[in-house]
Amino acid sequence: MPLYDTNQIKIYNTLSGEKEVFKPITAGHIGMYVCGPTVYSNVHLGNVRTFMSFDMIFRYFKHLGYKVRYVRNITDAGHLENDGDVGEDKITKKARLEAIEPMEIVQRYTVDFHNVLNTFNFLPPSIEPTATGHIIEQIELIEAIINNGFAYVVNGSVYFDVHKYNESNEYGILSKRKLEDLIHNTRALDGQSDKKNPQDFALWKKAEPSHIMRWPSPWSDGFPGWHLECTAMSTKYLGEQFDIHGGGMDLKFPHHECEIAQNQAAKGQDPVKYWMHTNMLEMNGARMSKSTGNYINPAELLSGKNDKMSKGYNPMVIRFFMMQASYKSVLDLTDDGLLAAEKGFNRLMEAIGLIGNLKSSSTSTYNVSEWKQRCYDAMNDDFNTPILIATLFDAAKFINQVKDGSATVTKDDLELLKQTIEAFTFDILGLVNVSKEDSGRDKLTSAVEILINLRKEARLNKDFALSDKIRDQLAEAGIQLNDSREGTTFTTN
């Protein structure tokens, strides 16, 4: 019997605003879509937190025995500045600034995205589609929306008619916004004169002569709207209705709201049963922002080369820190919080390491079966990782008591304890056991690999002065870079 038969999960559904009992559309199978990154810059920690939350959720579903199709896209076109319908495509803009092909930008930052997620021990999704690989599907979707009377063509661009849609549907059903309020609060913007109403959004944009990324369509040479891409990719791989759609809280409006409208307009039904949103990552009590300087990227957090934290942190400590908060809670990244997480992580790993040396007895002074059920109860309650971690520390305390002789455990309970604590710590939370002795070397490796990647980027950009500077300063610090056809490695003196 699969574990999902005996574990009833409750999920907070943003659409209803309530926790609901999770019932997949197809028994034993789950379709989950999560909005991936727009690959025009290095992935930031807020993204890492969102994807880490869904990695944990993916892991728990798999642990329970579900067959999960997890789709997380790559946005490599169509995402305009300020998430609107005007301005330049973010990838095109970066390519123009660096005088290289847009797909070089896409490749560079997709590799960075994967490298960062691998560092934090993410499982890869089942499918990772790209927006540029699904232009045909997007054109077909636009045609369906036009045929159903919910879109119009102006000067080669296609816009979704929000007011027409709202006559028979509810635009704002996810974000709990009313169209009347949106109308009242909307200011006229330059470049939106083609629209019937400012609230309408682009399904297809005609490319200006200077626009690099463009594709032929029935309306013009142009590019798809950002909102449309996720609608096309999610339904292609998960069907016209699927179980879970996830993303950051900042995507709820307008991105996810527009996805619902597009699906309703094209297919006549809501695409998703359960909408899930992760909350924001702050730093030192304030919003993370490059413009204000209250910002740190993953590389800086790992290496310690920043003015925000006292030192660099192992990626597993950072993962443990993030798992200590509910995915729905605002999480404040602080040096004190990371230091405390480091101590807690080491304490948990040390306890797990003791299990193999414990002596069993004829009796147990701890109800291991009841403790195991509390672990499942925590995860079944909307993936409550803070409660799960507290429950794991209960077991760690008991393990130390057995070691000290103040508690006893039977052989069967000891095996159950070992299997359970390892399953929840490593398989579900996604942590890796890093000993204190290894942590210093891991931090050095992470820091040097970051510098190797920066040097590689410098060489690709023909910035040989910076490339040589990185190599020479590492050599002065006793770290020798070794270039070969296979890549660059390093040795320490």
Side-chain angles (χ1 to χ4, degrees), residues 148 278 362:
N148 289 338
T278 59
S362 59

Side-chain angles (χ1 to χ4, degrees), residues 135-430:
I135 299 297
I136 292 173
E137 290 84 353
Q138 292 172 74
I139 290 173
E140 291 174 346
L141 193 59
I142 294 170
E143 289 175 330
I145 296 172
I146 291 174
N147 291 338
N148 289 338
F150 295 109
Y152 55 92
V153 183
V154 180
N155 296 328
S157 293
V158 185
Y159 294 98
F160 189 94
D161 193 334
V162 170
H163 289 246
K164 177 68 174 177
Y165 172 81
N166 206 55
E167 291 174 5
S168 53
N169 298 275
E170 185 181 351
Y171 184 76
I173 190 171
L174 180 68
S175 58
K176 310 301 185 285
R177 303 188 187 201
K178 297 295 183 184
L179 183 56
E180 295 78 13
D181 296 333
L182 294 173
I183 294 170
H184 179 72
N185 293 323
T186 299
R187 293 179 299 169
L189 298 175
D190 292 338
Q192 292 189 331
S193 57
D194 285 348
K195 297 182 183 182
K196 290 182 180 178
N197 299 284
Q199 295 77 34
D200 298 347
F201 57 89
L203 300 174
W204 186 266
K205 288 284 287 183
K206 180 181 179 180
E208 298 298 325
S210 61
H211 198 93
I212 304 171
M213 302 179 81
R214 59 175 65 216
W215 293 265
S217 79
W219 314 285
S220 66
D221 280 2
F223 53 95
W226 172 42
H227 310 310
L228 187 78
E229 296 170 352
C230 286
T231 297
M233 289 183 281
S234 62
T235 55
K236 177 179 175 66
Y237 295 108
L238 298 176
E240 292 184 5
Q241 188 178 50
F242 53 95
D243 298 297
I244 295 172
H245 194 314
M249 191 73 73
D250 56 320
L251 297 181
K252 186 164 58 172
F253 185 89
H255 187 52
H256 291 161
E257 196 73 70
C258 293
E259 282 193 60
I260 291 176
Q262 289 165 163
N263 269 283
Q264 280 280 15
K267 313 290 185 181
Q269 65 176 1
D270 289 335
V272 180
K273 285 190 68 177
Y274 304 90
W275 285 90
M276 299 182 67
H277 292 92
T278 59
N279 218 320
M280 297 294 103
L281 180 67
E282 296 182 343
M283 186 165 69
N284 297 323
R287 180 175 176 269
M288 287 187 72
S289 170
K290 285 185 178 180
S291 61
T292 63
N294 192 50
Y295 182 83
I296 187 170
N297 65 34
E300 293 168 335
L301 188 57
L302 291 166
S303 68
K305 293 187 176 180
N306 62 82
D307 59 359
K308 306 295 188 303
M309 304 296 165
S310 61
K311 62 175 190 171
Y313 290 94
N314 185 278
M316 290 303 101
V317 170
I318 299 168
R319 183 168 183 127
F320 183 73
F321 170 79
M322 291 188 177
M323 289 290 105
Q324 286 181 304
S326 165
Y327 74 90
K328 298 197 306 296
S329 301
V330 174
L331 177 59
D332 189 17
L333 183 73
T334 66
D335 196 45
D336 287 345
L338 286 166
L339 288 169
E342 185 174 58
K343 291 178 182 177
F345 173 79
N346 289 332
R347 192 163 74 249
L348 181 60
M349 294 302 119
E350 288 167 1
I352 292 173
L354 290 173
I355 295 176
N357 298 320
L358 295 180
K359 293 183 179 179
S360 59
S361 181
S362 59
T363 59
S364 288
T365 54
Y366 190 73
N367 190 329
V368 177
S369 294
E370 186 273 338
W371 166 80
K372 175 183 176 181
Q373 187 57 51
R374 285 195 286 128
C375 290
Y376 280 102
D377 289 345
M379 289 300 292
N380 293 339
D381 183 18
D382 197 25
F383 313 101
N384 197 328
T385 54
I387 297 298
L388 171 62
I389 289 173
T391 306
L392 295 177
F393 276 120
D394 287 344
K397 180 179 178 182
F398 171 64
I399 289 166
N400 280 288
Q401 288 173 339
V402 174
K403 176 199 171 192
D404 297 339
S406 59
T408 59
V409 63
T410 66
K411 182 179 179 180
D412 287 346
D413 275 354
L414 185 59
E415 182 61 28
L416 180 63
L417 176 64
K418 180 178 186 296
Q419 290 177 355
T420 304
I421 199 169
E422 289 183 352
F424 278 91
T425 301
F426 303 131
D427 298 342
I428 296 168
L429 290 180

